Amino acid sequence: MGKKKREEKLKKKALKEWEERRPKTFREALKYFPGVFLRTSLVMMGAVALILFLGALGLKVAESFWFQLLVYLGFYLVFQRFIMGPLAPPRLK
């Protein structure tokens, strides 16, 4: 029971610290936008490169709108923590 209680306490502490340091207003969040935009651009460039590579291999599925949408969505979901950077909430186990 002691270990579980200690883990819960650490989770609450991490969430409280994140809540205190995250931007509360749009003006405070504005300084993070260039970094988020750059990270998003990097991730989407990787997705485009994958789609172009698959298209160059001759796969007809790479020309499908739905396949491209799934690739973009998959890349975003996989790299979401990287994209959000300092704005992402702490990872809790």
Side-chain angles (χ1 to χ4, degrees), residues 14-27:
L15 285 174
K16 183 180 176 189
E17 289 173 356
W18 175 74
E19 192 67 36
E20 289 173 359
R21 76 170 191 263
R22 76 179 183 96
K24 304 288 188 273
T25 64
F26 179 73
R27 184 175 291 270

Side-chain angles (χ1 to χ4, degrees), residues 13 29 34 47 52 59 84 90-91:
K13 182 181 176 187
L52 288 174
L59 293 176
M84 293 305 291
R91 189 175 280 163

Side-chain angles (χ1 to χ4, degrees), residues 27-91:
R27 184 175 291 270
E28 291 174 6
L30 203 56
K31 67 181 178 182
Y32 294 105
F33 285 164
V36 170
F37 178 76
L38 180 66
R39 289 184 189 105
T40 304
S41 299
L42 288 172
V43 169
M44 289 303 120
M45 283 172 36
V48 168
L50 176 67
I51 292 170
L52 288 174
F53 177 72
L54 293 176
L57 288 177
L59 293 176
K60 290 290 184 189
V61 73
E63 298 174 11
S64 166
F65 166 78
W66 296 108
F67 175 77
Q68 292 176 11
L69 184 68
L70 286 175
V71 169
Y72 289 130
L73 183 62
F75 266 68
Y76 177 75
L77 291 175
V78 168
F79 293 105
Q80 184 185 15
R81 290 196 62 81
F82 169 72
I83 291 172
M84 293 305 291
L87 298 176
R91 189 175 280 163

